Amino acid sequence: MKQRYPKHNFLAFPSMPKVSLLPILLFYLIYTTGEVVSDHRKIRIDDDVYCESWRFSVETNDAGYWSTIPARCVQFVQDYMTGDQYRYDSEVVAENSVRFAKTVEISDSGSDGWVFDIDETLLSNLPYYQLHGFGSETFDEESFDSWVDLAEAPALPASLSLYKELKQLGFKIFLLTGRSEYQRNVTEKNLLYAGFTNWERLILRYQAMLQYIYRINKVGPSDQGKPAIIYKSEKRSDLQHEGYRIHGSSGDQWSDLLGFAVARRSFKLPNPMYYIS
């Protein structure tokens, strides 16, 4: 029978041991592409490159639902949230918001409105998330509510500047939050502590049973259990039915901005720490 291959390996010589091609090929693959193949998935060598792409997919809403940040991105998210880039990104959003707001012709009717979310939009919960893995831990409602009760969340500086400028321009400010009605007092206290004043209305999730516990002067269906995008759309719709024109809306979640009864312009603030649908 004819030999299919030469009898001698060109890498095998009498004076040297046989050389395996695998390390050489692996090195070449990493050197030329920056990636290795494992379990049929491409895994990037540079975590910062991967995590920047992941953050981009989150901010554009391409990522869809997600519960915690990738384990390999904890340091990246920490550096982003505590560094200059988060501040710069927030400032750009505020600048774009002001640029649009100045194009609006404010009427004398007092019906020109702007809607703000609160958490990670006006108030920063970064002190809380610094103690809880910057979004790498499963959300714990009880511990977060304890943080809210302290009423010590600082203002996002760019948002505070935007808020004040919108007030000067003549907009009615509506604060629409996913917090519950029983948190109204601590939320108002925190907003005042952070420098936010003279809003037109603070809207929180209503729960029917709380009317009797906290003597809330309100009746109607409960907001508890509704997806944020439905709850906030309904509240914006209520404002429109009252005659308000919602020119602008600011929030860190897409569920703050999308749905129905949307603003003329919506402005998304960065937040790679958590997702609310």
Side-chain angles (χ1 to χ4, degrees):
M1 178 182 294
K2 292 183 178 180
Q3 286 284 23
R4 190 173 181 180
Y5 299 104
K7 292 181 179 181
H8 299 288
N9 189 327
F10 73 98
L11 290 175
F13 299 94
S15 60
M16 64 181 295
K18 292 183 179 180
V19 178
S20 172
L21 287 174
L22 183 59
I24 297 174
L25 292 174
L26 183 60
F27 174 81
Y28 177 78
L29 183 62
I30 295 173
Y31 181 79
T32 57
T33 69
E35 300 174 342
V36 296
V37 178
S38 175
D39 296 332
H40 306 289
R41 294 176 300 171
K42 290 184 177 180
I43 302 176
R44 296 176 186 269
I45 300 303
D46 189 335
D47 281 351
D48 283 347
V49 173
Y50 169 81
C51 294
E52 185 61 62
S53 296
W54 172 82
R55 188 180 75 85
F56 175 81
S57 72
V58 165
E59 299 299 357
T60 57
N61 208 27
D62 290 341
Y65 174 80
W66 53 279
S67 57
T68 57
I69 66 174
R72 65 191 296 189
C73 296
V74 174
Q75 187 62 51
F76 174 87
V77 173
Q78 176 179 341
D79 292 344
Y80 173 77
M81 294 299 300
T82 59
D84 291 334
Q85 192 62 56
Y86 175 60
R87 176 168 57 86
Y88 292 153
D89 290 348
S90 300
E91 288 173 355
V92 168
V93 175
E95 290 168 3
N96 290 335
S97 303
V98 170
R99 189 177 299 114
F100 164 71
K102 288 181 176 179
T103 68
V104 176
E105 295 185 9
I106 304 297
S107 67
D108 296 330
S109 63
S111 59
D112 298 291
W114 196 288
V115 176
F116 280 98
D117 171 54
I118 292 181
D119 293 300
E120 271 58 66
T121 299
L122 296 182
L123 300 179
S124 171
N125 296 300
L126 191 55
Y128 171 83
Y129 283 100
Q130 285 178 318
L131 301 176
H132 295 274
F134 292 91
S136 62
E137 299 178 7
T138 301
F139 179 71
D140 182 79
E141 186 172 358
E142 184 175 352
S143 67
F144 183 76
D145 285 351
S146 296
W147 155 253
V148 169
D149 287 342
L150 297 176
E152 296 177 354
L156 272 74
S159 294
L160 180 57
S161 297
L162 169 62
Y163 182 99
K164 291 180 177 179
E165 189 147 6
L166 292 175
K167 289 291 297 179
Q168 291 178 350
L169 289 171
F171 286 91
K172 298 291 185 181
I173 304 297
F174 297 92
L175 309 183
L176 176 53
T177 175
R179 295 185 181 191
S180 295
E181 185 65 48
Y182 71 87
Q183 296 171 310
R184 176 176 293 277
N185 290 340
V186 294
T187 299
E188 290 178 340
K189 178 181 177 181
N190 198 156
L191 288 165
L192 294 170
Y193 162 80
F196 298 98
T197 59
N198 299 319
W199 53 83
E200 185 69 16
R201 192 179 308 172
L202 171 60
I203 305 169
L204 304 98
R205 284 185 184 263
Y206 169 67
Q207 188 169 349
M209 63 177 292
L210 298 180
Q211 179 182 3
Y212 305 101
I213 299 175
Y214 296 96
R215 300 180 183 277
I216 298 170
N217 185 25
K218 177 180 178 179
V219 294
S222 174
D223 296 318
Q224 299 298 325
K226 292 180 181 178
I229 193 170
I230 300 298
Y231 156 68
K232 294 199 171 187
S233 293
E234 290 177 347
K235 300 308 177 184
R236 290 193 302 268
S237 180
D238 290 344
L239 292 175
Q240 290 180 341
H241 289 152
E242 291 178 36
Y244 291 103
R245 294 186 295 273
I246 304 175
H247 295 284
S249 183
S250 302
D252 67 295
Q253 301 290 318
W254 285 104
S255 56
D256 297 331
L257 310 172
L258 300 179
F260 55 91
V262 298
R264 285 180 56 201
R265 283 287 305 276
S266 295
F267 297 90
K268 169 74 169 63
L269 282 86
N271 181 2
M273 296 189 297
Y274 59 84
Y275 176 88
I276 298 175
S277 60

